[in-house]
Amino acid sequence: MKKLPWRSLLLLVVTYSFFGWLLFIWNWRNWIVAGIFIVLMSGALTDPWTVIKIFFSDLLQSPTLSFILIVLFSFFSVVVLHWFSVSANALILICASMLTRLDLQTSGFTRVKAFLILALLSLTGLGLGLLIHKLW
């Protein structure tokens, strides 16, 4: 039986609980978008090379598409720096998920199990934060 990295799992749940607390004032459509974002991010962190090959292999074949990709990346970087208070929250969520994924990988979990653990604990933390804010 594999040993679970409890510290990083607890950090992941607490981080997403704070995010759920902040997300409480939004409407339910944004909660659904946040849940979809969590599942997609968990999948991207579980198997990043597949995501990179799918999205960027065709785009980097043409010089025109490469230029467009660089301009879009530059624009996205400016937006992230301009709205740093919002992007810092997303960066904290991504870092907590990356730490947990790395700990799960070093513990010997398969990609499917790591994805399920990441997605379920992140969604649990989000729901826990929403619930705590509602009950508070």
Side-chain angles (χ1 to χ4, degrees):
M1 181 159 173
K2 297 177 178 109
K3 186 178 177 185
L4 284 171
W6 289 107
R7 285 187 214 143
S8 61
L9 293 175
L10 180 65
L11 178 68
L12 183 73
V13 171
V14 168
T15 304
Y16 276 96
S17 295
F18 283 130
F19 181 61
W21 179 280
L22 293 174
L23 197 65
F24 182 79
I25 59 173
W26 294 359
N27 63 17
W28 63 271
R29 289 183 193 104
N30 292 341
W31 298 346
I32 293 173
V33 170
I36 292 170
F37 171 75
I38 288 170
V39 172
L40 289 176
M41 187 177 63
S42 297
L45 288 175
T46 302
D47 198 7
W49 290 116
T50 302
V51 174
I52 290 171
K53 281 192 267 181
I54 288 171
F55 287 114
F56 295 117
S57 65
D58 293 335
L59 290 176
L60 297 178
Q61 298 297 326
S62 165
T64 306
L65 290 176
S66 297
F67 176 74
I68 291 171
L69 184 67
I70 290 170
V71 169
L72 287 175
F73 181 74
S74 300
F75 174 74
F76 180 72
S77 299
V78 169
V79 169
V80 165
L81 290 175
H82 182 69
W83 288 338
F84 188 72
S85 63
V86 174
S87 59
N89 290 332
L91 188 62
I92 289 170
L93 295 174
I94 291 169
C95 289
S97 298
M98 288 173 68
L99 174 69
T100 304
R101 169 61 181 123
L102 188 62
D103 281 348
L104 289 172
Q105 183 178 356
T106 56
S107 295
F109 285 90
T110 62
R111 290 180 177 164
V112 174
K113 288 181 182 178
F115 168 74
L116 290 174
I117 291 170
L118 269 176
L120 291 175
L121 284 179
S122 299
L123 290 171
T124 301
L126 182 73
L128 188 65
L130 291 168
L131 181 69
I132 289 171
H133 192 281
K134 185 172 179 73
L135 295 176
W136 192 269

